[in-house]
Amino acid sequence: MGSMHTGLEEEKNGFEKLAAFYAERARGGVGLIVTGGIAPDIFGRLTPFASKLTSQSEVEKHKLITNAVHIADGKICLQILHAGRYAYHPFSLAPSRIKAPIAPFTPWAMPSFYVEKTIQHFVRAAKLAQQAGYDGVEVMGSEGYLINQFLVTRTNKRNDKWGGSFGNRMLFPVEIVRRIREAVGENFIIIYRLSMLDIVDDGQTWNEIETLAKAIENAGASIINTGIGWHEARVPTIAQMVPRAGFAWVTKRLMGKVNIPLITTNRINSPEVAEQVLQEGCADMISMARPFLADPNFMLKAKENRSDEINTCIACNQACLDHIFNRKVASCMVNPFACRETEWKITPLSSGEGMRPKNIAVVGGGPAGLSAAVTAAQRGHRVTLFEARNEMGGQLNMARVVSGKEEFNETLRYFNRQLELNNVDVKLNTRFEIAMAKDFDDVIVSSGVLPRELSMEGSDLPHVFNYADVLRDKKQVGKRVAIIGAGGIGIDTAMFLLKGSNPESSHDFNEKWNLDETYLMRGGVRIEEPLSTREGLGVRQIFLLQRKKGKPGAALGKTTAWIHREELKKYGVKYLDGVEYEKISEQGLHISRNGQSHLLAVDNVIICAGQVSERSLYDELKARGISAHLIGGAKEAGELDAKRAIEEGTRVGMVV
């Protein structure tokens, strides 16, 4: 299980919660766990109060974690991470005084004596980790953090022995590993996370990476892990649109060049993909982080040939990375129990005095209804799930047809399997009527949303569609299209029209994002041709419009919104904000912008202007005094939010 910051590291009683979090993954069969990054000194912390391991007094709370994992028959390593210029505080230190594009503060250049001091701090953290009962440490040398910053001239302009030639620049990580090995002895794991693909200008060459890997092995590392991309790189590396195992080819280049095991990582989310990576000789070991957030029993289910029961990570980033960037504790969209192991429990009815199974109706088979039905059934209730259409999924059925979002198929596969295992009575093509309520003790209404309609002249013309017409009903769309609404649904609709439903191959992904598979360019990234000199990649000309000023997808998650905007540019989408809609005619969409009227001559106009809740059933049930609960889009439309829907469904399922 790869390193992943959860936010519990800084929470009150956070180490007790972390102990439960990691122990559950150990019980689920993970071979080796690596913690989130812990700073070796105060300057290396990511934020002013982020966790560090600098003194004997901090050892005891770490023992809570190591003891819990060892009782669960697992092994765990502490990741030592120095943020360098990525730190979000004014006392950040880096090889040179060069500000990072993603950090608010310009770092102070480390004096030579403090470079030496920082190496000692890494060693101290490793020794303290050993005292705390960890089985090893991972030295974080990738993703653009301090060690990475020493390795490249992009961020290292020093003229002392820590700068200049690559031999000098790599001295910092080599000395860290060598001195840690001297301090901890032989029977202690040292993983070095090596940036094998920087994806930034003036990054490392492949020869430099090979040279460093061999030096790290000779310095005493037990294992080399793969790091992909600096955090400031403008290429997605772990988001949903990245092909599965899309970077295993990078690790494969290093196979056979060193004699210690190599770990590969990034977008490996199923046992089948992991096995294929191993069989193809891409690595000796597999690292997965978020897949164990999504399902702590991932390995146990794989071992027992129950892969169809795995709750698969869909790389949405909504509850993990987006939470962390917003200073919130991480969780998981598809598994809201993650990081709440001490707080959220599914209590079987048999364990509660006076509790009896109820007959529960769940109306609507979208993400909220599915999670409510499964959770209530797991407790022991008799659950009947009513879905008016011929398949489960609700709005997910529209999201999953967009290329790059096919992972939602896994979420639906998981829920459908859980319905079977928990004996939920599924009624497809069945609309719930008020008269049916008499057969149930409780009704959970998750009837979802309807597309919002616009009242403007021409909105009823035959070439005007809403997003459901396109994504769900597959209506034919012409070559020139205007999309009204630049939120998540507008962007999804645009990408569907441009890319279709077919998953992108690794090669096509690399081509689109200018990754150099030959690794002839520094950092493994080609110089991108300016957009002004090349045509977009799309098969259609799309105009994406919104009334308010600002960027498209402004309400989307911080870690993915920028990717969607970059893709829109690559496909030549014309984005217009501050638009007033005048009318739709047979000639196209009439708009005004900055006081001037324009005609967008398009074949189709697609309305993606939000949704309205479908809650009429709930209102009628309450009016008749019938016990009912409202969840998901039926409760609150807004931007479609599967994270909130699944969490609300789970919550009501735990207490109904």
Side-chain angles (χ1 to χ4, degrees):
M1 176 176 170
S3 176
M4 175 174 43
H5 197 77
T6 66
L8 292 173
E9 294 85 353
E10 291 79 38
E11 278 274 292
K12 183 179 180 182
N13 300 321
F15 275 73
E16 289 87 345
K17 296 175 182 178
L18 277 171
F21 171 76
Y22 287 127
E24 185 163 345
R25 274 79 195 159
R27 284 191 294 273
V30 177
L32 176 65
I33 295 168
V34 180
T35 70
I38 304 294
D41 57 36
I42 58 171
F43 300 110
R45 296 192 292 192
L46 276 166
T47 58
F49 301 103
S51 285
K52 61 182 179 62
L53 184 54
T54 60
S55 67
Q56 195 70 42
S57 63
E58 293 163 328
V59 166
E60 291 306 312
K61 62 183 181 181
H62 283 274
K63 286 183 178 179
L64 294 171
I65 293 173
T66 58
N67 289 339
V69 169
H70 292 153
I71 289 169
D73 201 26
K75 293 188 182 297
I76 186 165
C77 291
L78 176 98
Q79 187 188 75
I80 309 174
L81 182 153
H82 192 299
R85 71 177 191 157
Y86 281 175
Y88 270 65
H89 56 73
F91 307 108
S92 57
L93 296 175
S96 301
R97 192 167 169 76
I98 303 171
K99 183 180 177 296
I102 61 171
F105 300 101
T106 300
W108 300 94
M110 272 190 188
S112 294
F113 83 91
Y114 210 84
V115 176
E116 185 69 37
K117 200 79 172 170
T118 302
I119 294 172
Q120 295 171 18
H121 292 166
F122 271 88
V123 175
R124 177 182 64 190
K127 290 172 66 178
L128 291 170
Q130 190 175 39
Q131 292 174 32
Y134 286 101
D135 300 286
V137 293
E138 178 174 81
V139 176
M140 181 47 151
S142 67
E143 266 77 0
Y145 292 114
L146 179 70
I147 291 175
N148 232 167
Q149 294 160 25
F150 266 93
L151 288 167
V152 297
T153 56
R154 171 189 181 88
T155 46
N156 185 344
K157 308 293 185 184
R158 303 178 72 92
N159 54 19
D160 60 6
K161 73 173 186 176
W162 308 104
S165 69
F166 185 71
N168 284 3
R169 299 196 308 272
M170 77 174 192
L171 186 60
F172 183 62
V174 171
E175 280 298 292
I176 288 172
V177 172
R178 184 182 68 80
R179 295 190 204 178
I180 288 177
R181 176 55 72 201
E182 287 179 356
V184 299
E186 289 302 311
N187 296 319
F188 193 70
I189 301 167
I190 301 176
I191 306 170
Y192 182 81
R193 187 161 175 128
L194 171 68
S195 184
M196 294 190 200
L197 187 68
D198 289 339
I199 322 182
V200 291
D201 296 337
D202 295 324
Q204 296 170 92
T205 66
W206 183 255
N207 284 340
E208 288 172 346
I209 288 164
E210 272 194 32
T211 300
L212 176 59
K214 292 172 182 175
I216 291 294
E217 177 185 14
N218 291 334
S222 316
I223 303 168
I224 291 176
N225 194 2
T226 300
I228 299 292
W230 288 36
H231 285 315
E232 63 203 72
R234 302 305 286 174
V235 175
T237 57
I238 57 173
Q240 199 169 50
M241 67 286 298
V242 178
R244 290 183 175 188
F247 294 101
W249 63 272
V250 181
T251 315
K252 189 174 185 178
R253 288 182 67 98
L254 196 58
M255 288 287 282
K257 302 299 190 337
V258 292
N259 297 310
I260 55 177
L262 297 181
I263 302 173
T264 197
T265 185
N266 286 49
R267 287 289 285 123
I268 300 169
N269 66 344
S270 77
E272 294 77 18
V273 172
E275 183 63 25
Q276 182 180 352
V277 167
L278 294 175
Q279 292 294 341
E280 292 177 356
C282 296
D284 301 295
M285 298 171 67
I286 301 292
S287 173
M288 294 179 281
R290 294 171 302 167
F292 293 121
L293 196 67
D295 195 330
N297 294 310
F298 182 107
M299 289 310 304
L300 185 63
K301 292 175 181 177
K303 182 179 179 181
E304 296 175 353
N305 290 321
R306 295 189 290 129
S307 289
D308 60 343
E309 296 179 33
I310 291 175
N311 195 0
T312 303
C313 167
I314 61 171
C316 66
N317 293 353
Q318 290 181 30
C320 50
L321 290 175
D322 285 343
H323 274 210
I324 293 299
F325 278 105
N326 287 308
R327 305 289 192 273
K328 296 195 293 189
V329 173
S331 187
C332 177
M333 188 187 88
V334 299
N335 175 28
F337 292 92
C339 298
R340 294 169 170 144
E341 286 77 12
T342 62
E343 301 162 7
W344 282 31
K345 305 285 184 186
I346 293 180
T347 307
L349 298 175
S350 58
S351 65
E353 186 177 342
M355 300 178 73
R356 62 173 183 83
K358 296 180 182 178
N359 287 326
I360 295 175
V362 178
V363 182
L370 289 167
S371 58
V374 168
T375 307
Q378 286 173 338
R379 292 188 64 213
H381 292 304
R382 295 181 290 270
V383 180
T384 305
L385 177 54
F386 295 87
E387 169 53 51
R389 294 188 172 272
N390 63 358
E391 61 180 349
M392 293 295 170
Q395 299 289 313
L396 294 186
N397 286 320
M398 286 182 269
R400 69 191 178 104
V401 302
V402 180
S403 178
K405 290 198 167 187
E406 54 276 351
E407 292 288 14
F408 280 112
N409 287 310
E410 299 290 353
T411 303
L412 292 179
R413 181 264 311 148
Y414 168 76
F415 274 122
N416 281 317
R417 182 66 176 126
Q418 292 301 312
L419 294 176
E420 292 176 17
L421 292 172
N422 291 285
N423 300 311
V424 175
D425 186 7
V426 174
K427 305 287 189 185
L428 294 174
N429 299 305
T430 305
R431 190 170 294 279
F432 187 87
E433 304 292 346
I434 287 289
M436 298 176 180
K438 68 180 186 303
D439 298 324
F440 298 96
D441 300 301
D442 275 292
V443 181
I444 299 173
V445 179
S446 55
S447 43
V449 297
L450 297 172
R452 186 186 301 279
E453 297 181 1
L454 293 184
S455 57
M456 80 167 79
E457 183 182 339
S459 61
D460 57 348
L461 288 170
H463 62 290
V464 179
F465 302 146
N466 62 47
Y467 64 86
D469 295 328
V470 177
L471 298 176
R472 184 185 65 208
D473 301 334
K474 307 297 188 293
K475 289 195 175 180
Q476 292 298 307
V477 177
K479 293 291 186 182
R480 289 175 60 82
V481 182
I483 297 176
I484 295 177
I489 293 178
I491 291 173
D492 276 357
T493 302
M495 298 315 299
F496 173 74
L497 293 174
L498 292 165
K499 296 168 61 179
S501 296
N502 296 323
E504 199 166 46
S505 71
S506 290
H507 177 73
D508 288 344
F509 175 87
N510 292 345
E511 282 292 307
K512 183 168 73 177
W513 292 97
N514 297 298
L515 293 177
D516 178 17
E517 293 179 358
T518 65
Y519 223 126
L520 297 176
M521 304 294 291
R522 277 192 171 274
V525 62
R526 302 193 308 270
I527 298 173
E528 185 173 4
E529 185 181 357
L531 286 169
S532 59
T533 65
R534 64 183 173 93
E535 295 182 4
L537 302 172
V539 295
R540 288 184 168 90
Q541 174 60 69
I542 292 181
F543 298 90
L544 187 63
L545 317 170
Q546 70 178 20
R547 278 200 172 96
K548 59 186 176 183
K549 289 279 190 180
K551 298 176 181 178
L556 299 178
K558 185 174 183 178
T559 60
T560 51
W562 71 269
I563 302 172
H564 295 306
R565 287 191 281 268
E566 288 293 319
E567 283 203 299
L568 292 173
K569 289 181 187 177
K570 289 178 183 292
Y571 282 96
V573 172
K574 305 295 184 186
Y575 170 65
L576 301 174
D577 62 354
V579 172
E580 291 295 325
Y581 308 110
E582 296 178 345
K583 66 176 182 177
I584 303 170
S585 70
E586 292 183 356
Q587 288 72 43
L589 177 63
H590 300 257
I591 65 171
S592 64
R593 189 167 183 252
N594 300 324
Q596 294 185 324
S597 293
H598 307 273
L599 168 64
L600 299 181
V602 294
D603 303 310
N604 293 99
V605 177
I606 302 173
I607 298 171
C608 302
Q611 307 79 36
V612 293
S613 295
E614 176 53 271
R615 54 175 291 159
S616 56
L617 172 65
Y618 173 78
D619 291 337
E620 190 170 352
L621 288 167
K622 296 302 283 186
R624 297 189 181 200
I626 297 170
S627 178
H629 310 266
L630 187 65
I631 58 173
K635 180 179 179 181
E636 181 183 342
E639 282 279 348
L640 293 182
D641 189 348
K643 179 187 74 171
R644 179 177 60 81
I646 292 173
E647 181 172 326
E648 285 182 0
T650 304
R651 282 181 182 274
V652 77
M654 287 193 295
V655 300
V656 73

